[in-house]
Amino acid sequence: MDPLSGFISSLIWWLLFFYLIMAPQIQYKQLQLARLKILRELSNKRNSTVITMIHRQESIGLFGIPVYKFITIEDSEEILRAIRAAPKDKPIDLIIHTPGGLVLAATQIAKALKAHPAETRVIVPHYAMSGGTLIALAADKIIMDENAVLGPVDPQLGQYPAPSIVKAVEQKGADKADDQTLILADIAKKAINQVQNFVYNLLKDKYGEEKAKELSKILTEGRWTHDYPITVEEAKELGLDVDTNVPEEVYTLMELYKQPVRQRGTVEFMPYPVKQENGAK
């Protein structure tokens, strides 16, 4: 191989290598810019500070390794910073899409949101479970898609729901339970009371003391599994004030987080009507 051909082959190889390394990062940067554009439009339209906390599986990098997300301390730090920077006389719209996460982080976010002087609105386009529900309860207004869901906020101790641990000891009897189970039951009772009291304090100003006590008990007592989907209809039956007027920009924003791990997504659809090449429908 002559020197020129060798140089060209080497150049092509390095260009290909550079593309494989940089292309995913460039695409991700483009997504971020597109998201910021929509957030800016939504903020201007609603005259509010718009904050997002969207935990969706994303594949970033050369090998497309999926990254799974949930509410973390880093999330609470960022959202608290955003709330502090928001004008005190302007509303906040917090868009959340999350399976839940750390109670500590969710509690910090909920407390900061409730303390904001102007109106606060949590928008749920798809789901806000566990800690996500806790945050939604702190808002002045919950806005959900008609098919979106919330979830119970009963605390979990490891792999077990705290209410189930307490119930197991009650059914078996304290004298028949081992020391470790008794310790877990004690911690479980404290965890339930802590979350219950926090939910009560979030709701009492908006719903009154009696309704707040009722809702805080229902959502923390373990009447459902932790992943039980509380629909819009059921949320309203419970007495929660829920609106279903989700801004269209929110749905557009969610599309920009859709990054399937595989080359082909697992769900595909063709919008109706489909225009054929001859112009017929």
Side-chain angles (χ1 to χ4, degrees):
M1 180 182 294
D2 62 84
L4 180 59
S5 298
F7 173 76
I8 293 174
S9 298
S10 178
L11 180 61
I12 293 174
W13 190 90
W14 279 108
L15 288 174
L16 178 61
F17 179 77
F18 180 79
Y19 174 78
L20 290 173
I21 293 294
M22 296 303 299
Q25 302 302 324
I26 293 172
Q27 292 172 355
Y28 186 64
K29 185 64 177 178
Q30 290 173 335
L31 272 177
Q32 287 181 310
L33 292 174
R35 293 169 187 171
L36 288 174
K37 181 176 182 293
I38 293 174
L39 290 176
R40 190 176 299 110
E41 293 173 355
L42 187 59
S43 176
N44 291 334
K45 178 180 177 180
R46 295 176 66 82
N47 190 32
S48 66
T49 296
V50 180
I51 307 169
T52 66
M53 185 176 69
I54 298 175
H55 297 140
R56 176 169 278 185
Q57 175 179 299
E58 292 186 330
S59 55
I60 304 172
L62 176 61
F63 300 105
I65 298 173
V67 178
Y68 298 90
K69 300 180 179 179
F70 54 90
I71 303 173
T72 65
I73 289 297
E74 287 73 22
D75 288 326
S76 64
E77 288 177 354
E78 291 294 332
I79 292 179
L80 264 59
R81 188 177 298 115
I83 292 175
R84 285 196 298 269
K88 304 305 180 186
D89 59 341
K90 299 295 182 183
I92 288 177
D93 283 302
L94 174 57
I95 303 168
I96 56 177
H97 173 85
T98 181
L102 294 178
V103 174
L104 171 60
T107 298
Q108 289 180 301
I109 296 169
K111 190 173 181 294
L113 194 65
K114 182 174 175 59
H116 184 68
E119 184 181 39
T120 56
R121 304 175 290 238
V122 163
I123 303 174
V124 184
H126 189 57
Y127 78 150
M129 306 297 285
S130 188
T133 299
L134 194 67
I135 295 168
L137 294 174
D140 296 315
K141 183 182 291 185
I142 302 174
I143 305 174
M144 298 171 61
D145 178 82
E146 292 180 353
N147 297 302
V149 295
L150 302 175
V153 295
D154 52 311
Q156 308 293 293
L157 297 183
Q159 60 181 320
Y160 300 116
S164 296
I165 296 173
V166 174
K167 186 175 181 180
V169 172
E170 290 175 348
Q171 289 181 336
K172 190 172 184 178
D175 57 326
K176 297 180 180 178
D178 59 67
D179 290 348
Q180 184 177 1
T181 303
L182 290 174
I183 292 170
L184 280 175
D186 179 61
I187 297 171
K189 287 180 182 179
K190 292 174 182 175
I192 295 169
N193 288 334
Q194 287 166 190
V195 176
Q196 198 169 101
N197 288 335
F198 185 72
V199 172
Y200 165 74
N201 286 318
L202 289 178
L203 299 178
K204 66 179 181 179
D205 294 339
K206 184 177 179 181
Y207 293 99
E209 292 190 3
E210 288 304 314
K211 188 62 179 179
K213 286 180 182 178
E214 177 190 343
L215 286 170
S216 64
K217 185 174 185 296
I218 289 172
L219 293 171
T220 61
E221 67 182 357
R223 68 165 57 185
W224 306 293
T225 58
H226 192 61
D227 61 351
Y228 179 78
I230 300 175
T231 63
V232 169
E233 293 77 17
E234 191 161 7
K236 289 181 177 179
E237 288 175 5
L238 291 174
L240 291 174
D241 183 15
V242 177
D243 187 355
T244 56
N245 295 315
V246 176
E248 285 299 322
E249 291 87 352
V250 174
Y251 296 117
T252 305
L253 179 68
M254 292 300 295
E255 284 296 319
L256 296 176
Y257 284 85
K258 189 174 183 179
Q259 295 184 21
V261 176
R262 301 179 182 86
Q263 290 290 342
R264 180 184 64 80
T266 56
V267 177
E268 298 175 336
F269 74 99
M270 183 63 70
Y272 179 86
V274 180
K275 293 185 179 181
Q276 305 297 331
E277 290 183 0
N278 59 8
K281 294 184 178 180

